[in-house]
């Protein structure tokens, strides 16, 4: 498992009974996580002292109970800063386990010794966008949500990166890839972080299992003649790292046979137990 262990402003304190207990800066949050399938005692005192608690309801949704949460909450990761706030469906605007991929991306870009154009698809609030821009890349950030794209701009500004060459686009990622191919635009690196299910700005329906192979094949055509890396992320429980690696191998790997392929789970250390908590999976190719 690839572990994001470089955090100081974030901590996964404990996890049990379908929930996790986290520290975001000085604030404690308690929210659901289906990966916590064990039922160990919730003996840590902060379980009962959380500043914000997400309560699930019978419909599958839920709501936040805000007990004591300041406005303007943000966390730092190295030189990067991200604005944090509770949103619908238990999220906070950041997936801290992705820091292990940010470090990987930034190291490759910084060591490339040449201009690097990055395409970040389903880019959310821009964690990878900020990491790549800080490392010196030119980034095209694409997401179907206007609100999340605005949040990404705020994160870039908070990190002191507003002057970097980043293009923000609110668009359906599948249609955008098709247009980029017809326009003849190419990128040295592509980051793909698709949801399991979603809708585009025009109501377009996205279902991961039905469309991922086709999208990966199309993305392979957007890589330049001298690619640097390709990253595929997933939080879909039915899609294993091995399956993701295979998908990447028969699409991008078939187009660029010199690439090095690796795939694994990504996760975070739980401080109360010292064990690694699985959060998602990634498949990566370097060239």
């Amino acid at each position: 498992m690839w572990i994001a262990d470089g955090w100081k402003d974030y901590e996964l304190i404990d996890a049990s009974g379908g929930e996790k207990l986290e520290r975001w800066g000085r604030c404690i949050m308690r929210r659901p996580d289906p990966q916590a399938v064990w039922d160990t005692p919730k003996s840590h005192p902060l379980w009962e002292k959380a500043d914000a608690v997400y309560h699930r309801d019978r419909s599958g949704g839920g709501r936040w109970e805000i007990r004591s949460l300041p406005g303007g909450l943000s966390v730092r990761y190295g030189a990067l800063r991200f604005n944090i706030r509770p949103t619908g469906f238990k999220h906070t605007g950041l997936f801290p386990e992705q820091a292990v991929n940010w470090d990987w991306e930034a190291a490759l870009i910084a060591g490339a010794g040449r201009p690097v154009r990055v395409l970040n698809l389903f880019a959310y609030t821009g964690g990878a966008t900020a990491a790549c821009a800080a490392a010196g890349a030119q980034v095209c950030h694409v997401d179907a949500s206007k609100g999340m794209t605005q949040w990404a701009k705020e994160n870039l500004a908070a990190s002191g990166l507003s002057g970097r060459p980043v293009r923000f686009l609110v668009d359906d990622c599948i249609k955008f890839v098709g247009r980029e191919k017809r326009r003849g635009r190419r990128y040295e690196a592509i980051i793909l972080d698709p949801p399991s299910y979603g809708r585009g700005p025009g109501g377009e329906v996205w279902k991961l299992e039905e469309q991922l192979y086709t999208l990966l094949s199309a993305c392979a055509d957007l890589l330049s003649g001298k690619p640097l890396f390709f990253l595929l992320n997933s939080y879909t429980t039915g899609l294993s790292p091995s399956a993701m690696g295979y998908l990447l191998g028969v699409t991008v790997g078939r187009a660029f046979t010199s690439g090095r392929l690796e795939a694994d789970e990504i996760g975070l250390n739980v401080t109360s137990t010292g064990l690694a908590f699985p959060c998602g999976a990634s498949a990566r190719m370097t060239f």
Side-chain angles (χ1 to χ4, degrees), residues 17 38 47 56 59 64 79 88 139 143-144 169 174 197 221 251 274 285:
W38 46 90
W47 278 108
R56 290 171 291 191
S59 70
W64 282 97
V139 186
D143 195 275
L169 296 170
I174 297 174
Y197 178 87
D221 294 333
T251 52
M285 288 196 75

Side-chain angles (χ1 to χ4, degrees), residues 156-205:
L156 213 68
S159 299
L161 299 170
S162 294
R164 299 299 174 95
V166 177
R167 184 165 61 126
F168 291 97
L169 296 170
V170 178
D171 205 342
D172 175 84
C173 289
I174 297 174
K175 292 181 179 179
F176 177 81
V177 167
R179 290 196 299 271
E180 287 291 89
K181 182 178 178 180
R182 292 191 294 272
R183 287 188 283 250
R185 291 202 177 117
R186 299 294 180 264
Y187 299 86
E188 282 69 49
I190 296 178
I191 300 165
L192 190 62
D193 197 354
S196 300
Y197 178 87
R199 290 186 179 273
E204 304 88 349
V205 176

Side-chain angles (χ1 to χ4, degrees), residues 46-90:
L46 290 177
W47 278 108
E48 302 304 323
K49 298 179 181 179
D51 300 298
V53 180
Y54 188 90
H55 299 283
R56 290 171 291 191
D57 58 33
R58 294 179 181 178
S59 70
R63 62 177 181 82
W64 282 97
E65 176 191 355
I66 306 299
R67 298 172 177 173
S68 176
L69 197 65
L73 177 62
S74 67
V75 295
R76 282 191 177 276
Y77 185 77
L80 305 177
R81 182 186 287 273
F82 302 103
N83 296 323
I84 303 300
R85 50 185 177 264
T87 70
F89 198 61
K90 76 181 181 181

Side-chain angles (χ1 to χ4, degrees), residues 118-140:
V118 177
L119 175 59
N120 188 10
L121 295 168
F122 305 96
Y124 196 49
T125 60
T129 294
C132 292
Q138 177 181 331
V139 186
C140 181

Side-chain angles (χ1 to χ4, degrees), residues 13-262:
I13 302 167
D14 199 6
S16 179
E19 291 185 293
K20 57 187 176 184
L21 182 68
E22 304 165 290
R23 177 179 62 83
W24 297 86
R26 292 179 295 175
C27 296
I28 305 300
M29 295 189 189
R30 178 175 175 173
R31 57 183 176 139
D33 196 303
Q35 295 281 24
V37 295
W38 46 90
D39 196 21
T40 51
K42 293 179 178 177
S43 55
H44 198 290
L46 290 177
W47 278 108
E48 302 304 323
K49 298 179 181 179
D51 300 298
V53 180
Y54 188 90
H55 299 283
R56 290 171 291 191
D57 58 33
R58 294 179 181 178
S59 70
R63 62 177 181 82
W64 282 97
E65 176 191 355
I66 306 299
R67 298 172 177 173
S68 176
L69 197 65
L73 177 62
S74 67
V75 295
R76 282 191 177 276
Y77 185 77
L80 305 177
R81 182 186 287 273
F82 302 103
N83 296 323
I84 303 300
R85 50 185 177 264
T87 70
F89 198 61
K90 76 181 181 181
H91 295 309
T92 64
L94 194 69
F95 291 85
E97 63 275 6
Q98 286 296 332
V100 71
N101 284 324
W102 304 339
D103 290 342
W104 176 78
E105 295 154 1
L108 288 172
I109 292 166
R114 57 188 171 99
V116 176
R117 294 163 294 184
V118 177
L119 175 59
N120 188 10
L121 295 168
F122 305 96
Y124 196 49
T125 60
T129 294
C132 292
Q138 177 181 331
V139 186
C140 181
H141 173 115
V142 187
D143 195 275
S145 169
K146 184 178 180 180
M148 293 302 165
T149 302
Q150 179 58 39
W151 198 336
K153 292 178 181 179
E154 294 168 6
N155 284 336
L156 213 68
S159 299
L161 299 170
S162 294
R164 299 299 174 95
V166 177
R167 184 165 61 126
F168 291 97
L169 296 170
V170 178
D171 205 342
D172 175 84
C173 289
I174 297 174
K175 292 181 179 179
F176 177 81
V177 167
R179 290 196 299 271
E180 287 291 89
K181 182 178 178 180
R182 292 191 294 272
R183 287 188 283 250
R185 291 202 177 117
R186 299 294 180 264
Y187 299 86
E188 282 69 49
I190 296 178
I191 300 165
L192 190 62
D193 197 354
S196 300
Y197 178 87
R199 290 186 179 273
E204 304 88 349
V205 176
W206 160 265
K207 292 184 179 180
L208 183 69
E209 294 87 346
E210 296 178 5
Q211 294 168 276
L212 184 55
Y213 174 78
T214 300
L215 179 57
L216 283 169
S217 299
C219 286
D221 294 333
L222 294 186
L223 286 170
S224 73
K226 294 182 65 178
L228 184 62
F229 68 79
F230 196 109
L231 171 66
L232 170 64
N233 287 309
S234 176
Y235 288 90
T236 301
T237 54
L239 194 60
S240 70
S242 297
M244 292 168 62
Y246 197 97
L247 275 165
L248 205 54
V250 297
T251 52
V252 179
R254 184 167 291 173
F256 296 88
T257 56
S258 62
R260 177 177 177 268
L261 174 63
E262 55 184 347

